[in-house]
């Protein structure tokens, strides 16, 4: 049974907590160690079971084309070519026989390596060296023992129960052969590969898809036999022999790759976990993102409705990093959604700075209306922030809000170098926004008188003339509202 993440429906689950009976995806577990298969449940802190790619792997019946392309990658093609062409040119003596046996062992070893490799999540074939180096050649002896024991089982059934029991034994052996190959490849145990209970358990856990795969394997076997028969009957022997060997090896690799993929697809039911290795970079596969644990916890608590907990987490985070824009934005969105005017007032300097940096004049206007409910005479205590926010409000068309934010600016901040930018915004809001040209002219005259040393002073006469003619305030520096 495939599971989606509890918090992100549609995302395949990667972890399962047996204590909470919860499923989590990778986004919920950014700090988990997928390499070591270790992760703690965010709810109960108990160790969880890693599901690997069990919940996201494509069913094998949707990858038939990929199975047939599998032997034509570079590495398996080299193995097949060596194992089919070298015996053709080998001498017809004892040395040639030894060469043929060695290459047959290498090919047999490679096919079993394909099962393991695929079951571990590698959708690309193993390297050429796997066939000719290292250990693993004992798999041939083990498989021969399995065949002998299965034959003995059929013989014993015939002796004990006659033809009927023998036919039942033959039917079971034929049906369980793919399962036996998979068990032998994974466990390297003859006992496990011939144990009827073990094989029946594997077949039952996979269920109906096992029989679907069995049908594919029968078709593959028939196709392989037909292709080899065609090669033998229509080509000279020197061509037919290597061609038949090539076709046999190709179909065998397809078959074993399908068996490995079936193990990979049903890994959860079979009690192990693997990821798709070839599509994951080293960084993605091994590096744990502990910095994202906080965001994952926020997300889960929000979806659980634990808003007080989320608010507390964000406030604690802002104690450690006062100006973190991500946390400020998250806190603003939460407080706005909860209509928590008191907390918005408490954090208003940082929130207003964040909104101004994002040029969110609409958000600033809405926040000011909320703050004025708590404090009807609300004003900012930071002159630079006041000018920055007023400029943002002006550009979004909130002219009255911009003017109100800068009310009595010269009285509240008489020595501020932001006086000229502040009242230029007021003049522009009055003239360009409210068409109150006389009042705009008064503020421009104030700038001309009080801010002689400010760069805006040299353009005052132009703006005064425009205000007198009831024209929009334009000019070389008409957009000059905040200090550069």
């Amino acid at each position: 049974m495939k599971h989606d993440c509890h918090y992100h429906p549609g995302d395949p689950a990667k972890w399962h907590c047996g204590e909470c009976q919860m499923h989590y995806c990778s986004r919920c577990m950014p700090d988990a160690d997928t390499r070591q298969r270790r992760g703690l449940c965010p709810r109960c802190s108990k160790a969880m079971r890693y599901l690997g790619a069990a919940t996201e792997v494509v069913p094998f019946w949707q990858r038939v084309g990929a199975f047939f392309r599998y032997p034509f990658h570079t590495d398996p093609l080299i193995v097949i070519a060596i194992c089919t062409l070298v015996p053709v040119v080998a001498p017809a003596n004892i040395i040639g026989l030894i060469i043929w046996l060695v290459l047959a062992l290498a090919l047999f070893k490679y096919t079993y390596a394909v099962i393991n490799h695929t079951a571990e999540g590698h959708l690309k074939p193993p390297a050429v060296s796997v066939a000719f180096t290292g250990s693993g050649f004992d798999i041939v002896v083990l498989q021969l023992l399995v065949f002998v024991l299965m034959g003995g089982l059929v013989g014993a059934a015939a002796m004990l129960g006659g033809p009927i029991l023998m036919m039942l034994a033959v039917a079971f052996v034929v049906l369980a052969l793919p399962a036996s190959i998979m068990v032998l490849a994974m466990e390297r145990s003859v006992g496990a590969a011939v144990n009827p209970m073990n094989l029946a358990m594997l077949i039952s856990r996979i269920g109906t898809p096992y029989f679907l795969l069995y049908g594919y394997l029968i078709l593959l076997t028939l196709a392989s036999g037909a292709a080899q028969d065609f090669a033998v009957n229509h080509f000279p022997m020197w061509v037919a022999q290597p061609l038949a060997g090539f076709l046999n090896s190709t179909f065998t690799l397809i078959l074993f790759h399908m068996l490995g993929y079936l193990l990979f697809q049903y890994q959860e039911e079979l009690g192990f976990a693997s990821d798709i290795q070839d599509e994951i970079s080293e960084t993605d596969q091994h590096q744990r993102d502990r910095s994202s644990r906080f965001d994952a916890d926020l997300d889960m608590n929000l979806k659980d409705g634990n808003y007080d907990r989320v608010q507390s987490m964000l406030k604690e985070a802002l104690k450690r990093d006062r100006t973190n824009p991500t946390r400020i934005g998250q806190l603003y969105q939460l407080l706005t959604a909860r209509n928590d005017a008191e907390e918005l007032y408490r954090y208003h300097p940082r929130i207003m700075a964040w909104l101004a940096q994002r040029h969110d004049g609409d958000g600033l206007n809405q926040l000011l209306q909320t703050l004025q409910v708590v404090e009807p005479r609300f004003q900012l205590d930071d002159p630079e922030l006041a000018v920055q926010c007023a400029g943002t409000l002006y550009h979004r068309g909130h002219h009255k809000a911009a003017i109100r934010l800068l009310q009595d600016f010269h009285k509240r901040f008489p020595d501020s170098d932001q006086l000229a930018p502040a009242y230029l915004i007021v003049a522009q809001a009055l003239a360009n926004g409210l068409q109150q040209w006389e009042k705009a002219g008064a503020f421009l005259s104030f700038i001309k008188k009080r801010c002689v040393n400010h760069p805006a002073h040299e353009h005052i006469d132009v703006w005064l003339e425009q205000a007198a003619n009831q024209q929009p305030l334009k000019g070389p520096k008409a957009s000059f509202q905040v200090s550069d």
Side-chain angles (χ1 to χ4, degrees):
M1 183 177 181
K2 307 308 179 186
H3 301 281
D4 284 348
C5 175
H6 176 78
Y7 292 101
H8 303 97
D11 287 2
K14 285 283 190 177
W15 298 87
H16 177 249
C17 176
E19 184 75 17
C20 303
Q21 291 301 311
M22 296 281 287
H23 287 86
Y24 302 96
C25 66
S26 297
R27 281 196 285 169
C28 293
M29 298 297 300
D31 59 334
D33 188 347
T34 56
R35 188 179 187 185
Q36 300 296 327
R37 310 292 194 256
R38 287 201 296 261
L40 299 179
C41 177
R43 284 194 167 194
C44 65
S45 299
K46 298 288 182 64
M48 293 193 295
R49 182 164 66 93
Y50 185 60
L51 303 179
T55 57
E56 60 183 337
V57 62
V58 177
F60 75 88
W61 53 85
Q62 296 180 13
R63 298 190 77 255
V64 175
F67 291 136
F68 278 89
R69 291 191 298 269
Y70 187 82
F72 297 98
H73 288 80
T74 303
D75 290 293
L77 272 179
I78 293 174
V79 173
I80 293 172
I82 293 174
C83 294
T84 56
L85 296 179
V86 172
V88 174
V89 298
N93 52 32
I94 189 67
I95 296 177
L97 180 61
I98 293 173
I99 292 174
W100 181 85
L101 287 173
V102 170
L103 292 177
L105 288 173
L107 180 61
F108 206 80
K109 176 193 172 188
Y110 189 77
T111 57
Y112 271 88
V114 164
I115 293 184
N116 283 23
H117 202 64
T118 306
E120 292 170 358
H122 297 277
L123 302 184
K124 295 179 181 178
V128 176
S129 58
V130 172
F132 303 102
T133 61
S135 60
F137 289 98
D138 60 325
I139 191 67
V140 180
V141 178
L142 297 178
Q143 184 62 78
L144 289 174
L145 287 174
V146 169
F147 287 146
V148 170
L149 290 174
M150 283 186 169
L153 176 65
V154 173
M159 292 175 61
L160 295 175
I164 296 178
L165 187 59
M166 182 188 74
M167 291 302 296
L168 291 175
V170 169
F172 177 78
V173 166
V174 172
L175 181 64
L177 184 58
S180 176
I181 293 173
M182 288 189 281
V183 172
L184 183 64
M186 295 297 291
E187 299 189 21
R188 288 295 200 272
S189 169
V190 174
V194 298
N195 186 332
M197 294 300 295
N198 201 19
L199 300 178
M201 183 67 70
L202 185 144
I203 294 171
S204 66
R205 286 183 176 178
I206 295 176
T208 304
Y210 178 86
F211 300 97
L212 178 61
L213 176 74
Y214 197 87
Y216 277 111
L217 299 184
I218 291 175
L219 292 175
L220 274 176
T221 303
L222 293 175
S224 176
Q228 293 177 62
D229 183 66
F230 180 86
V232 171
N233 293 326
H234 291 80
F235 295 99
M237 188 55 62
W238 65 273
V239 175
Q241 183 180 350
L243 182 57
F246 177 86
L247 292 171
N248 180 61
S249 300
T250 299
F251 278 99
T252 301
L253 283 182
I254 294 172
L255 185 151
F256 276 63
H257 178 47
M258 291 180 76
L259 294 177
Y261 193 85
L262 191 67
L263 290 171
F264 179 59
Q265 180 180 341
Y266 289 93
Q267 56 185 274
E268 183 178 3
E269 290 83 354
L270 299 176
F272 69 98
S274 295
D275 269 318
I276 302 176
Q277 305 294 330
D278 303 311
E279 299 177 2
I280 303 176
S281 68
E282 285 296 314
T283 301
D284 293 335
Q285 185 178 356
H286 301 316
Q287 182 177 352
R288 289 172 284 168
D289 186 3
R290 297 186 183 279
S291 62
S292 298
R293 177 71 265 164
F294 185 85
D295 287 307
D297 288 338
L298 280 182
D299 185 49
M300 288 187 285
N301 277 285
L302 277 172
K303 290 176 178 176
D304 283 338
N306 300 327
Y307 304 124
D308 289 337
R309 171 63 178 156
V310 173
Q311 188 166 321
S312 176
M313 290 170 65
L314 289 171
K315 290 165 70 173
E316 287 298 320
L318 286 171
K319 287 181 181 179
R320 298 188 296 270
D321 186 359
R322 288 182 54 81
T323 59
N324 187 308
T326 301
R327 305 301 171 221
I328 293 172
Q330 290 169 333
L331 182 63
Y332 164 69
Q333 292 172 346
L334 177 65
L335 296 179
T336 301
R338 303 188 76 184
N339 197 26
D340 193 337
E342 295 290 340
E343 287 296 301
L344 282 169
Y345 185 83
R346 179 182 176 187
Y347 287 93
H348 77 264
R350 281 179 275 182
I351 294 175
M352 292 183 73
W354 179 77
L355 290 169
Q357 289 167 2
R358 290 165 51 90
H359 306 290
D360 187 355
D362 294 333
L364 273 172
N365 185 56
Q366 181 181 359
L367 177 60
L368 282 172
Q369 293 175 14
T370 302
L371 296 177
Q372 286 163 7
V373 172
V374 180
E375 176 53 65
R377 298 183 179 182
F378 171 80
Q379 291 288 350
L380 280 170
D381 296 329
D382 182 341
E384 187 171 351
L385 178 59
V387 171
Q388 188 179 13
C389 291
T392 302
L393 288 164
Y394 167 74
H395 281 299
R396 289 297 297 173
H398 301 292
H399 304 112
K400 291 183 179 180
I403 294 170
R404 193 181 191 288
L405 197 60
L406 299 175
Q407 185 177 358
D408 295 329
F409 193 90
H410 66 290
K411 296 179 181 179
R412 293 187 290 128
F413 312 109
D415 301 322
S416 173
D417 59 356
Q418 298 295 309
L419 185 56
Y423 280 167
L424 179 56
I425 293 173
V426 173
Q428 287 179 312
L430 289 168
N432 301 342
L434 304 179
Q435 285 76 51
Q436 296 182 14
W437 312 104
E438 186 175 345
K439 290 184 178 180
F443 278 95
L444 292 171
S445 298
F446 183 88
I447 296 173
K448 182 176 182 179
K449 179 179 178 181
R450 291 281 300 270
C451 306
V452 178
N453 297 323
H454 197 277
H457 188 272
E458 59 183 281
H459 305 292
I460 288 296
D461 290 334
V462 175
W463 293 325
L464 280 169
E465 184 179 352
Q466 291 171 346
N469 295 327
Q470 296 188 1
Q471 298 173 343
L473 300 189
K474 299 179 180 178
K477 300 283 279 185
S479 61
F480 182 88
Q481 291 102 12
V482 297
S483 60
D484 295 327

